[in-house]
Amino acid sequence: MSVELILNGRAAVLDARTDEMLLPALRRAGLLSVRETCAIGVCGACTVLLDGEPVSGCLTLAAQAAGREVTTVEGLDGDPVQRAFAEAHAFQCGWCTPGFVLAAKRLLELNPSPGDEEIAEALGGNLCRCGSYVKIAEAVRRCAS
Ligand code: FES
Ligand code: FES
């Protein structure tokens, strides 16, 4: 099936099986920031924004994106949250970073001045096996107004 959507701000069409998840369809389209680790909705490595809300690409059917807006970090380009992660060195291997950036972006839209507990709660669905959590929180605080 063909899934018509807005992908990173542009009209796009994803080819996907009817039972296929968004994660493989996006990776096939070249969006390799969307990463598969657990494939069961636990790690957050496959996080994308669907109409602005973080969702797991491994649990979201590609068909659910039809007519909607999907954002990956490839679509951020110069976003202050992305910059803050780089400036705070908020990663080691970087595998988890795209998911954290998108979750942090949504948090800061909803709450421009989150406290430590709110940051921990909002990013609780994202795991970093390198343990970069302290720096990740610092990156989010850098963006807080
Ligand atoms: S790969 Fe989707 S949540 Fe882990
Ligand atoms: S920086 Fe390596 S998994 Fe998070």
Side-chain angles (χ1 to χ4, degrees):
M1 65 182 287
S2 294
V3 178
E4 294 183 20
L5 72 166
I6 304 297
L7 183 54
N8 290 333
R10 294 185 179 178
V13 179
L14 290 178
D15 288 322
R17 296 190 321 269
T18 51
D19 63 348
E20 193 171 35
M21 296 298 165
L22 193 51
L23 166 59
L26 288 173
R27 288 188 62 85
R28 220 169 30 246
L31 296 162
L32 301 181
S33 73
V34 190
R35 292 169 175 163
E36 179 172 338
T37 306
C38 69
I40 54 170
V42 171
C43 74
C46 63
T47 300
V48 299
L49 299 179
L50 181 61
D51 289 340
E53 289 295 334
V55 298
S56 296
C58 69
L59 295 184
T60 305
L61 284 167
Q64 289 177 264
R68 301 172 75 183
E69 196 163 336
V70 171
T71 305
T72 69
V73 292
E74 284 89 344
L76 297 188
D77 197 24
D79 186 273
V81 180
Q82 205 172 17
R83 256 199 330 271
F85 271 68
E87 287 166 5
H89 305 290
F91 47 81
Q92 292 181 61
C93 76
W95 183 259
C96 65
T97 310
F100 270 104
V101 167
L102 292 171
K105 186 172 163 53
R106 183 57 175 155
L107 164 65
L108 289 159
E109 281 169 3
L110 293 173
N111 179 357
S113 304
D116 288 347
E117 273 184 29
E118 289 160 322
I119 293 171
E121 188 177 332
L123 303 186
N126 294 73
L127 302 180
C128 173
R129 61 187 164 189
C130 297
S132 300
Y133 297 107
V134 171
K135 291 289 191 179
I136 289 167
E138 183 186 323
V140 176
R141 281 195 298 270
R142 279 178 185 234
C143 294
S145 55

